[in-house]
Amino acid sequence: MADNIKKSSIKRFDHVFWSCDGYKKRKDGYLEPDGPQSNYADQKRIFEEIGKELLGHLFKGFNCTLFAYGQTGSGKSYTMMERGANKGLLPRMTEEIFQTVNDNNDPNLEYQVLFSMMEIYNEQVFDLFEDVPKNAKRTMLKIYENKASNLLCVPVSNQDEVASFLIKGYQNRTIASTNMNEYSSRAHTIATIYVKQIQSNAKATLSSQISIVDLAGSERAAKTKAIGVRLKQGANINLSLMHLGTVIRRNALEYMKSSTYSRYLM
């Protein structure tokens, strides 16, 4: 019995990356391994091993979702959405998407790319592209089945346009300072890229999307020293993360019982 419990508790991962030390900073600010023996996983390596696989699925018509989960201040936003020299997964993915679009030589194939950003704050959903006057309340979006009503999906034609909207979305995020993180996100951020592949000769359209989910960090009130509003925010964050974990675990167990096996990449 003990052996069975021990075997069932073994965790297996598709990828394991080290990022605590073993790096050096280039003149342009990029962090790279400090030598051939270094285990440091830079942003490029993470994209090569995870991002490219997901983009392959995207262009085949599959919807993809990548979650970043972890303690507050552990580097989730850095890995997923960082801009500048150490650009993260989302900027690198958009570069690759538009590279594919620009390399297209098929006169019968047309690409359309759209972009959206929203956040889930205290169990309410808000559009991060919404222009809200100072001191005005934001418009809460309603969720119908798996879609947010009135979510703004903007057409984009190059990486610079995506970067501009990403900056706008980040500026509208709900953040606050805690004892563990000066710029702690108090909401879950979801950035989604929608790709339509339109075949004019076949009169067919293949639609797919990839969502990059930057989850708010799990936290302990005893360490963050949060009180009042911050304490309520932290409680809602932890509660939603618990529910998400439960859903993923149950779905994974159902797939493992069935004949078809689905991998979950967290």
Side-chain angles (χ1 to χ4, degrees):
M1 182 69 176
D3 289 340
N4 290 335
I5 294 175
K6 191 177 293 185
K7 288 179 181 178
S8 65
S9 64
I10 294 175
K11 304 293 188 300
R12 293 182 175 85
F13 301 93
D14 295 320
H15 305 275
V16 177
F17 299 109
W18 178 261
S19 61
C20 296
D21 56 20
Y23 62 86
K24 62 181 179 180
K25 182 185 288 189
R26 296 192 317 216
K27 290 183 179 179
D28 62 357
Y30 185 73
L31 303 180
E32 63 181 1
D34 61 9
Q37 303 302 317
S38 173
N39 291 320
Y40 178 74
D42 60 4
Q43 298 280 56
K44 181 181 178 181
R45 178 183 165 191
I46 293 173
F47 170 70
E48 293 288 334
E49 296 192 24
I50 294 179
K52 282 197 170 183
E53 179 184 351
L54 291 176
L55 289 180
H57 298 319
L58 176 72
F59 282 106
K60 290 178 181 177
F62 292 96
N63 294 334
C64 307
T65 302
L66 181 64
F67 292 96
Y69 171 86
Q71 182 175 285
T72 182
S74 59
K76 300 179 298 299
S77 299
Y78 172 82
T79 301
M80 301 289 265
M81 300 185 184
E82 179 72 9
R83 305 176 301 281
N86 292 285
K87 54 192 173 187
L89 277 168
L90 179 60
R92 290 177 184 273
M93 283 180 170
T94 54
E95 283 184 2
E96 191 82 3
I97 287 171
F98 287 113
Q99 186 66 51
T100 301
V101 172
N102 294 331
D103 289 345
N104 173 42
N105 294 318
D106 186 346
N108 296 312
L109 176 60
E110 176 191 347
Y111 286 96
Q112 291 182 0
V113 183
L114 297 94
F115 184 51
S116 72
M117 283 186 74
M118 64 180 179
E119 73 171 10
I120 304 173
Y121 170 70
N122 280 345
E123 307 303 306
Q124 297 178 332
V125 180
F126 299 97
D127 189 341
L128 289 177
F129 292 159
E130 180 187 14
D131 294 315
V132 182
K134 192 174 181 180
N135 299 324
K137 288 187 67 175
R138 295 188 295 175
T139 304
M140 186 180 71
L141 303 182
K142 293 183 179 180
I143 304 297
Y144 296 101
E145 295 183 350
N146 62 342
K147 292 183 179 180
S149 63
N150 300 320
L151 176 66
L152 184 61
C153 298
V154 294
V156 286
S157 57
N158 55 60
Q159 163 62 19
D160 291 337
E161 290 183 0
V162 176
S164 177
F165 280 109
L166 183 58
I167 291 172
K168 179 178 181 178
Y170 251 59
Q171 289 174 341
N172 290 333
R173 285 192 316 156
T174 305
I175 61 173
S177 176
T178 70
N179 276 22
M180 292 186 68
N181 188 355
E182 184 179 359
Y183 301 103
S184 174
S185 175
R186 315 309 291 165
H188 309 303
T189 304
I190 305 171
T192 304
I193 303 172
Y194 310 84
V195 176
K196 288 186 178 181
Q197 302 175 67
I198 305 171
Q199 287 281 359
S200 58
N201 57 343
K203 295 183 178 180
T205 300
L206 183 63
S207 299
S208 55
Q209 64 189 59
I210 183 166
S211 295
I212 303 298
V213 185
D214 184 6
L215 295 168
S218 58
E219 56 185 50
R220 293 184 179 179
K223 290 188 176 182
T224 61
K225 305 299 182 184
I227 57 175
V229 174
R230 301 286 176 271
L231 183 62
K232 179 183 176 182
Q233 292 169 343
N236 280 323
I237 289 169
N238 290 340
L239 180 64
S240 61
L241 291 174
M242 182 190 71
H243 289 319
L244 175 64
T246 300
V247 170
I248 291 176
R249 183 175 183 275
R250 287 184 177 177
N251 282 338
L253 290 174
E254 288 300 317
Y255 275 109
M256 290 170 66
K257 291 176 184 177
S258 66
S259 57
T260 56
Y261 175 70
S262 176
R263 284 194 303 170
Y264 284 83
L265 180 60
M266 291 290 289

